[in-house]
Amino acid sequence: MSRLLLCFFFLIFSFAAISQKYKPADAGSKVHFVIKNFGINTGGDLSGLKGDINLVPANVAACNFNVSVDVNTIDTDNNMRDKDLKGKSYFDAEKFSAITMVSTKINKTNKTSAGWYYFTGNLTIHGVTKPIAFPFTATSKGDDYLFVGGFTINRLDFGVGSNSIILSNTVKVSLSVLAKKS
């Protein structure tokens, strides 16, 4: 009888560890980018986070991310620039309204502190999908998790804008995404 109870509790805890599903939330999150414009760092933010995050700290291979932001929410503190970025010359937000990231693999990193992971997956911007990889942290916030990481891309790889002596091709993206348990 005690063996049966032990198996029962093991199954319940195993199921709980497998089914940790989260939804990214705009409140408490920040998706920020920085690009040099006329040699000066110019930044902006995106919101409209959506998607699904499955986090299983005990089984990293079972983790996966499928998240997006809404291009129409771009905010650089300059309405004319925002309108230009949403236009056909850059993001073409009318046709390509979302930027998405989908994981293909999540690994633990070789860092000695807990909570460090490595994202490998695909980033889709402006209808173009390219592989991407970067380290990130996952920190428990009660029932929720805060994911923090960053990466650098070449905007021309995604067909965003054209070659320019004024605007850098390199864009630095920093993520601080609060995911709520669903």
Side-chain angles (χ1 to χ4, degrees):
M1 180 69 165
S2 65
R3 187 175 279 180
L4 182 62
L5 282 174
L6 183 63
C7 287
F8 176 74
F9 283 117
F10 176 75
L11 284 173
I12 288 174
F13 288 117
S14 294
F15 179 76
I18 292 171
S19 63
Q20 294 182 6
K21 296 183 186 284
Y22 298 86
K23 296 278 186 192
D26 277 331
S29 296
K30 187 165 189 158
V31 177
H32 185 72
F33 64 90
V34 175
I35 186 168
K36 285 195 183 284
N37 189 10
F38 286 105
I40 299 168
N41 282 341
T42 303
D45 299 303
L46 292 155
S47 57
L49 284 160
K50 292 182 182 173
D52 296 302
I53 299 170
N54 295 311
L55 181 67
V56 187
N59 182 9
V60 177
C63 297
N64 59 65
F65 293 74
N66 184 348
V67 295
S68 68
V69 292
D70 184 350
V71 173
N72 289 294
T73 66
I74 198 163
D75 182 3
T76 64
D77 289 331
N78 181 315
N79 289 337
M80 283 181 46
R81 180 173 40 226
D82 295 347
K83 184 178 177 183
D84 197 31
L85 288 172
K86 291 175 197 176
K88 289 184 181 191
S89 296
Y90 289 95
F91 286 104
D92 195 359
E94 191 173 304
K95 188 173 179 183
F96 305 105
S97 62
I99 296 172
T100 61
M101 268 188 9
V102 178
S103 65
T104 55
K105 182 168 50 169
I106 305 296
N107 291 334
K108 285 192 176 185
T109 66
N110 58 1
K111 295 202 183 254
T112 55
S113 57
W116 279 93
Y117 300 91
Y118 202 77
F119 177 97
T120 303
N122 293 309
L123 176 65
T124 303
I125 302 173
H126 197 243
V128 178
T129 302
K130 297 283 184 183
I132 190 167
F134 60 92
F136 70 95
T137 59
T139 306
S140 175
K141 299 289 182 186
D143 286 341
D144 305 327
Y145 267 87
L146 180 65
F147 299 96
V148 177
F151 54 89
T152 301
I153 60 169
N154 182 326
R155 66 182 176 83
L156 297 179
D157 290 345
F158 295 91
V160 176
S162 58
N163 210 355
S164 169
I165 59 171
I166 298 168
L167 187 63
S168 173
N169 296 339
T170 304
V171 181
K172 293 180 182 178
V173 179
S174 59
L175 305 170
S176 179
V177 176
L178 181 65
K180 301 271 188 185
K181 192 168 187 175
S182 57

